[in-house]
Amino acid sequence: MTASAPPPNQLLQLLDPPAFDLLRPHLATVEMVRKSVLGEAGAALRHVYFPHAGSVSITVGLSDGQMIEIAMLGRDSVVGGGAALTDGIALSDAAVLFPGTASVLEVVAFRSVAAASASFRELIIRQEQSLLAHAQQSLLCNTLHPVEARLARWLLRARELSHGEILPLTQEALAQMIGVRRNAISLVAHDLQRAGIIHYSRGHIEILDLQALQATSCECHATVKLYHLRLLGAVP
């Protein structure tokens, strides 16, 4: 990063100069390696991450090992911000889904800046509200909407954060993300491929027709995106 410009994370770019000046000395840039764990449910957080690129999957699990994604975070988000503001204990698991880079700082430094800057605290609280809305909408979507619409919604969000039309994903991973069996993903992916919307091969999904994918998705993707923008003051 340069001495004058914040890193390419949208939250950091929304900070006023005094708040970012408080934060800047504590920030370091790290590589987010695919499948690396950034936080574990019930464990104390050591760091807070502001992704520049790539994505982080936020999941909750059951005692039998089943897991489902409640949100996907990237350059428009912060990982661990809400927990760092409170007791520092993660409520969910966070693991890198698509590799990228991030600005990182220790929880102690994060709290110090939050204590000194009301605007920084407010931004993190607004982001946590957005994350809650994301989780609630995901629950609603996974309960009420057909698998085809849920998969389309998930792929749209993944595309936003991956900077590309080709996503490195297996059917097993997709099934876990939206809480369905692998054979359901296989059937739906086959139908989308036959319709010319995606191409699936060897653990990669290529989005061929974005407009058709948007038409296939339920309203959940657009609803969460608009709420996020409103919370952060990007739209009236």
Side-chain angles (χ1 to χ4, degrees), residues 64-217:
D64 63 1
Q66 287 184 300
M67 300 187 72
I68 187 170
E69 183 181 82
I70 60 171
M72 191 191 315
L73 306 182
R75 64 185 181 278
D76 57 359
S77 311
V78 57
V79 180
L85 281 182
T86 54
D87 60 3
I89 303 299
L91 296 178
S92 52
D93 295 324
V96 176
L97 182 64
F98 301 129
T101 57
S103 290
V104 61
L105 73 162
E106 294 183 352
V107 167
V108 172
F110 180 92
R111 286 178 173 167
S112 175
V113 175
S117 172
S119 62
F120 180 70
R121 289 196 307 274
E122 180 180 357
L123 184 65
I124 299 302
I125 290 170
R126 286 178 177 271
Q127 168 57 29
E128 286 303 301
Q129 290 178 301
S130 176
L131 177 57
L132 176 60
H134 194 155
Q136 290 174 331
Q137 197 75 30
S138 292
L139 174 62
L140 177 69
C141 185
N142 289 338
T143 302
L144 298 179
H145 294 153
V147 174
E148 184 178 55
R150 290 154 61 183
L151 177 59
R153 181 260 301 173
W154 194 93
L155 290 174
L156 288 172
R157 175 61 173 164
R159 177 187 175 275
E160 284 180 348
L161 301 180
S162 67
H163 295 286
E165 308 296 334
I166 300 178
L167 308 173
L169 293 163
T170 64
Q171 290 188 2
E172 289 85 355
L174 282 170
Q176 177 179 306
M177 293 299 104
I178 63 174
V180 298
R181 296 184 180 276
R182 182 184 179 280
N183 63 339
I185 291 293
S186 180
L187 291 171
V188 169
H190 176 74
D191 288 343
L192 292 177
Q193 181 164 264
R194 187 172 55 184
I197 299 174
I198 67 170
H199 175 70
Y200 178 81
S201 176
R202 295 184 179 180
H204 289 79
I205 290 181
E206 181 179 4
I207 297 173
L208 302 176
D209 190 335
L210 179 59
Q211 289 186 338
L213 188 66
Q214 292 169 333
T216 302
S217 173

